[in-house]
Amino acid sequence: GAGLAYLPRNARDLIGRLPEFRKMSLKQLAEFSGSWDPLEMALGVAAINAHYNRFDLQGEMGNGAQAFGREAGRVVVVGAFPGLSEMLPNPQVIENDPRPGEYPTIAMDTLLPGCAAAVVASSTLVNRNLPRILRLAQGSRIALVGPVTPLTPRLHAYGVEILGGLVIRDPKGLGEAIRAGALPREFGRFGQYLHLRREDAAPARPCRFRASRRNG
């Protein structure tokens, strides 16, 4: 498999260490996920994804966020993503750089407790916000979505109902696209978004909602 991770700063800082990394096993690289160095942690998360998001992985199509499209209560989205407005009718969107109608990250403390469901961007794995989000949204339905999501049922034990991530089919093409400046919304051209659902979770019903306002 091949794995991705959100880089908090320029990857050039890692180039000098490439000879060191090439000598390491995937397991050794994955252990960097516990590092406090943001770039090392990103490398570790990418290694974890390379292990779990394999070419032969079986899952349901899409990132799974549509499962929350018919929730009667509040649905909070931490980190907008392409197609959001088509999947969720009236989400409360939290962003680092909020646009009109969205909320800043400090609003997590207010919006997440008591929400019906939370859709969380997988970049929170690297910036270490995920544990806090899971605590704040405890008791709510939670989906972790995005190209960085490790597709492993082990994450269900932490309260995550749906895991939506990217299985990369063309790692060479994706690498070239990233070097050329491709945005995350374009990554799907080089693979397939799949999601895993906790066994006790009900299958998603089709959501026919269409909104005129675009999110993500």
Side-chain angles (χ1 to χ4, degrees):
L4 288 171
Y6 162 77
L7 287 174
R9 62 176 190 265
N10 199 296
R12 283 195 296 267
D13 295 345
L14 289 176
I15 291 177
R17 299 179 62 185
L18 286 179
E20 170 194 351
F21 296 145
R22 290 193 181 104
K23 298 176 183 178
M24 301 176 72
S25 67
L26 190 63
K27 180 180 179 181
Q28 289 172 320
L29 291 172
E31 290 173 353
F32 280 125
S33 62
S35 172
W36 283 104
D37 179 278
L39 286 178
E40 287 187 350
M41 185 176 183
L43 178 62
V45 170
I48 290 172
N49 286 342
H51 174 75
Y52 286 113
N53 298 17
R54 303 180 309 276
F55 306 129
D56 59 348
L57 182 70
Q58 300 296 312
E60 299 178 61
M61 295 287 291
N63 69 9
Q66 69 272 17
F68 299 162
R70 295 178 181 270
E71 280 292 333
R74 292 186 299 110
V75 177
V76 178
V77 176
V78 182
F81 55 88
L84 168 60
S85 60
E86 297 181 358
M87 297 182 189
L88 304 172
N90 294 296
Q92 295 177 314
V93 179
I94 297 173
E95 276 284 2
N96 289 327
D97 185 16
R99 296 179 296 182
E102 298 177 345
Y103 299 85
T105 53
I106 195 172
M108 289 194 298
D109 295 322
T110 301
L111 297 181
L112 286 171
C115 68
V119 180
V120 183
S122 56
S123 58
T124 57
L125 279 166
V126 179
N127 63 27
R128 293 191 180 273
N129 275 330
L130 184 59
R132 176 186 171 207
I133 291 169
L134 295 179
R135 288 194 299 270
L136 289 170
Q138 189 172 7
S140 305
R141 301 180 69 191
I142 299 173
L144 181 65
V145 303
V148 180
T149 302
L151 293 173
T152 168
R154 296 174 66 177
L155 290 176
H156 293 320
Y158 297 94
V160 181
E161 176 182 326
I162 293 172
L163 298 160
L166 179 65
V167 174
I168 301 169
R169 309 288 186 190
D170 180 10
K172 181 179 179 181
L174 178 57
E176 292 173 351
I178 290 174
R179 284 192 291 271
L183 298 174
R185 68 171 66 96
E186 303 172 66
F187 293 173
R189 295 190 290 118
F190 304 95
Q192 188 174 45
Y193 278 97
L194 299 176
H195 66 276
L196 305 181
R197 189 187 308 274
R198 199 172 56 210
E199 289 185 2
D200 61 348
R205 292 179 293 178
C207 180
R208 302 182 184 280
F209 176 84
R210 291 292 182 271
S212 58
R213 181 173 64 88
R214 293 183 63 189
N215 288 311

